[in-house]
Amino acid sequence: NAGVMQNPRHLVRRRGQEARLRCSPMKGHSHVYWYRQLPEEGLKFMVYLQKENIIDESGMPKERFSAEFPKEGPSILRIQQVVRGDSAAYFCASSPAKGTAENTIYFGEGSWLTVV
Amino acid sequence: GENVEQHPSTLSVQEGDSAVIKCTYSDSASNYFPWYKQELGKRPQLIIDIRSNVGEKKDQRIAVTLNKTAKHFSLHITETQPEDSAVYFCAAIATDSWGKLQFGAGTQVVVTP
């Protein structure tokens, strides 16, 4: 059973370019979460998605960032017109359902974005 | 919203000694408290978790305690080994906010042989 799959693992973008990060949840998981980890900091929640729905985007910056989880295919976190401050590790996580005692949230290996 | 504070920020221990990391939370609705271990350049890895209907949980050399009244929980690592060196994060979440983990700032643990 493959875990949460993220790609690319490392991405370098010049200022002003776009970054697209992809996440495939664990098999059987329908809930996807994106977190951002700035250098030497903890993880900060960005967005919670289910298939074709954004459930909670309270942690997303108001501009340049968007996320989707289409009916088919992986979840995508998109950052437009990247700036140096976007350099961070972006972690995707998934869970099978919401709020049950058996739920555990599993993280992918992360995508490290460097903006030069 | 939830606010999680974690102490200490760094912890150096001799191999074989115990390490204790403490976290406090603010939201009384929080009822699930996972601990993650993160090695440099790697993903956070769940090492143990506790739910609010339990006061203590143990898994080999790792244990977690929860005091709901005081709103604090702790990670205990006994007989530390060099491979325990990593950054450890506590987190808290309420089931009606599932997925929106609130993380502590992390503790850098260094185990010296």
Side-chain angles (χ1 to χ4, degrees):
Chain A
N1 185 14
V4 179
M5 304 298 291
Q6 288 188 247
N7 69 84
R9 292 293 314 281
H10 298 276
L11 182 64
V12 179
R13 284 286 178 266
R14 296 186 185 280
R15 281 178 294 170
Q17 292 184 319
E18 178 179 287
R20 282 191 182 223
L21 310 177
R22 290 174 290 277
C23 169
S24 296
M26 285 181 71
K27 188 176 180 181
H29 286 194
S30 57
H31 298 240
V32 166
Y33 319 91
W34 285 94
Y35 284 78
R36 177 166 65 175
Q37 186 176 32
L38 295 170
E40 299 187 13
E41 292 190 13
L43 285 82
K44 303 288 186 189
F45 168 84
M46 297 181 77
V47 62
Y48 162 31
L49 308 113
Q50 295 177 29
K51 286 283 187 183
E52 300 183 284
N53 278 307
I54 297 174
I55 307 302
D56 184 340
E57 56 181 348
S58 57
M60 289 279 270
K62 294 287 184 271
E63 297 176 347
R64 303 186 298 107
F65 284 73
S66 62
E68 62 176 2
F69 189 15
K71 188 176 180 182
E72 301 290 338
S75 175
I76 295 175
L77 179 67
R78 181 184 179 203
I79 311 171
Q80 296 177 287
Q81 300 174 328
V82 296
V83 300
R84 287 222 171 99
D86 297 333
S87 295
Y90 292 83
F91 288 97
C92 175
S94 72
S95 69
K98 178 178 182 292
T100 67
E102 291 73 36
N103 272 349
T104 300
I105 297 165
Y106 297 91
F107 283 90
E109 294 292 343
S111 290
W112 267 259
L113 172 65
T114 302
V115 180
V116 297
Chain B
E2 176 64 276
N3 182 44
V4 176
E5 295 194 357
Q6 183 171 347
H7 300 280
S9 56
T10 59
L11 181 58
S12 289
V13 294
Q14 286 283 120
E15 182 178 359
D17 287 350
S18 295
V20 180
I21 303 170
K22 297 182 179 181
C23 289
T24 60
Y25 63 99
S26 60
D27 188 351
S28 55
S30 290
N31 53 10
Y32 175 63
F33 307 92
W35 285 88
Y36 290 86
K37 175 184 179 182
Q38 187 178 31
E39 297 173 348
L40 190 63
K42 301 282 184 67
R43 66 183 172 95
Q45 193 155 9
L46 179 71
I47 56 172
I48 196 167
D49 56 12
I50 192 167
R51 299 180 192 273
S52 59
N53 58 346
V54 174
E56 185 173 354
K57 185 176 176 180
K58 190 172 181 181
D59 183 3
Q60 299 182 346
R61 296 187 296 108
I62 294 173
V64 58
T65 59
L66 171 65
N67 182 327
K68 285 172 55 181
T69 304
K71 295 200 190 79
H72 66 70
F73 55 114
S74 300
L75 178 72
H76 304 250
I77 307 172
T78 58
E79 300 172 25
T80 53
Q81 300 166 5
E83 52 265 38
D84 294 330
S85 296
V87 179
Y88 291 81
F89 291 97
C90 63
I93 193 169
T95 49
D96 63 352
S97 302
W98 203 256
K100 197 171 178 178
L101 286 163
Q102 186 67 41
F103 281 84
T107 298
Q108 174 77 61
V109 173
V110 178
V111 180
T112 51

